[in-house]
Amino acid sequence: MGLMLDTVGKLIARYLQHEAIGFEPFTPSDPEHLRHVIQPADVLLVEGNNRISGVIKYLTQSTWSHAALYVGPIDGAFEPDGEPHVMIEANIGEGVVTAPLSKYFRYHTRICRPVGLSFEDRDTVCRYAINRVGFGYDTKNIVDLMRYLIPLPIPQKWRRQMIAMGSGDPTRIICSALIAQAFEAVRYPILPKVTLAGSRKARRAILHIRDSSLYMPRDFDISPYFAVVKPTIEEGFDYTALHWADKPKPLEEVAGTSDPFPSAHETPPLVPETADEAAQKAAFAEVDTAPANTGLTAVPLIARLRAHARRAESVAARNRMLQLAG
């Protein structure tokens, strides 16, 4: 009986691990920026592309379907080309394994960093996860695997329970549960339940640690105790240095002399032009007739026009002096 359950479990696990056809991440990671920014005890969230990823993203109503813990180079674990394994993750059908960072270069990822975690506690979190490498995923637990095959839709209030459904090791070592256990080892909160207690004079918050099997990848993203770190911005983002494929050269309105926003009226000169005596006389004549036509008082208007004329004549005289001096 155990052999039959194990065989069926492996078939289900293999089916769930098949990649979705035609899936392409909208914003893949920048390998160099990601490699330079990520630090030990950082949680790397991944938008996966296999069948189980689609189910997890639906059940959690989130972009993220997988979580891995960055621990730094692991002794004795490396790729055939020599790249060290730096990630600890729990995969269905495999259990707890190590992985290189390059595994997720072509995926949409996000770094979630625990805020204020001491060096000693970061080391404890990483060692906790490393010590669990090799823990197996019991494929005989069909109940645990079948939760990902139940037809959708699922009522929202039951979705989190669907992630935690099952029993035994499989539930305890799903990707987010493994990382949650590592942070629980140093009493670092993720999404604890908070209750207020005390008298009227004093209130205090009591944090209740959730069961690790209830955590999802998105919980690290929405946790108030984890900072979202974006490698491109951390490395110094300069939008002027971008090269657009559809516009390889600077736009004409930027590099050329043409005005992209032509004005309907000519811009007045910085220095007033020489006063036009004929125009001034016409203005005075128009103002003299204003009381009869519009009921306006002519005296204040004439005074202002005369003051303007005097300023214009003064500027014109100064300009002539500057020309003679030049």
Side-chain angles (χ1 to χ4, degrees):
M1 186 65 178
L3 179 61
M4 183 183 68
L5 291 176
D6 186 56
T7 302
V8 174
K10 288 179 180 178
L11 291 175
I12 296 176
R14 191 178 300 116
Y15 171 82
L16 293 172
Q17 288 175 326
H18 284 173
E19 293 188 355
I21 299 175
F23 175 85
E24 290 185 7
F26 187 72
T27 53
S29 305
D30 186 305
E32 292 304 317
H33 288 170
L34 180 62
R35 196 188 301 274
H36 291 163
V37 169
I38 198 165
Q39 299 176 4
D42 283 352
V43 179
L44 185 70
L45 303 183
V46 183
E47 182 184 14
N49 66 339
N50 51 24
R51 291 189 175 103
I52 191 174
S53 296
V55 176
I56 293 175
K57 284 188 282 188
Y58 170 78
L59 293 176
T60 62
Q61 294 294 285
S62 170
T63 299
W64 316 113
S65 62
H66 184 64
L69 183 69
Y70 183 86
V71 298
I74 303 170
D75 294 338
F78 49 84
E79 291 293 282
D81 61 359
E83 181 185 3
H85 285 197
V86 295
M87 311 289 297
I88 303 293
E89 59 184 359
N91 296 323
I92 185 171
E94 293 181 312
V96 183
V97 297
T98 63
L101 188 60
S102 61
K103 178 179 179 180
Y104 296 115
F105 281 169
R106 66 187 184 94
Y107 293 90
H108 180 203
T109 59
R110 170 166 292 176
I111 297 175
C112 294
R113 179 168 297 164
V115 176
L117 194 63
S118 66
F119 175 83
E120 292 77 11
D121 285 345
R122 287 203 307 269
D123 184 67
T124 300
V125 169
C126 294
R127 289 187 177 277
Y128 182 98
I130 293 173
N131 290 338
R132 274 145 187 80
V133 172
F135 277 32
Y137 200 111
D138 186 5
T139 53
K140 292 190 298 293
N141 194 325
I142 301 300
V143 174
D144 185 69
L145 292 171
M146 289 293 289
R147 66 188 172 190
Y148 299 114
L149 299 177
I150 295 177
L152 305 179
I154 302 295
Q156 185 174 0
K157 64 179 180 179
W158 292 345
R159 290 172 186 169
R160 185 176 287 267
Q161 284 76 5
M162 284 289 297
I163 293 293
M165 187 176 68
S167 61
D169 286 344
T171 300
R172 292 200 298 269
I173 61 171
I174 61 176
C175 62
S176 49
L178 169 69
I179 300 173
Q181 289 176 5
F183 282 103
E184 284 178 9
V186 296
R187 306 295 292 176
Y188 191 88
I190 302 173
L191 279 181
K193 297 179 181 178
V194 179
T195 59
L196 296 177
S199 62
R200 295 180 179 178
K201 297 182 179 179
R203 288 185 176 273
R204 58 190 178 92
I206 301 178
L207 305 182
H208 300 277
I209 303 297
R210 297 177 186 269
D211 185 84
S212 60
S213 64
L214 296 177
Y215 281 105
M216 307 176 183
R218 74 159 190 175
D219 291 340
F220 297 96
D221 187 17
I222 65 176
S223 171
Y225 311 108
F226 283 76
V228 173
V229 180
K230 298 187 177 182
T232 302
I233 297 178
E234 291 292 319
E235 290 287 284
F237 173 66
D238 180 9
Y239 75 95
T240 62
L242 296 178
H243 298 282
W244 298 95
D246 58 336
K247 296 179 181 178
K249 296 181 180 180
L251 300 177
E252 183 179 357
E253 58 264 26
V254 176
T257 58
S258 63
D259 186 1
F261 306 106
S263 176
H265 305 282
E266 294 184 359
T267 304
L270 297 178
V271 179
E273 297 177 352
T274 304
D276 188 342
E277 294 182 1
Q280 292 181 8
K281 291 179 180 180
F284 288 136
E286 182 179 354
V287 172
D288 288 337
T289 61
N293 297 332
T294 63
L296 298 177
T297 303
V299 175
L301 293 175
I302 294 175
R304 287 199 296 270
L305 287 173
R306 285 177 177 172
H308 176 73
R310 286 195 296 271
R311 286 196 298 271
E313 291 175 356
S314 175
V315 171
R318 185 179 64 182
N319 289 341
R320 287 195 294 271
M321 293 180 62
L322 291 174
Q323 290 176 357
L324 294 175

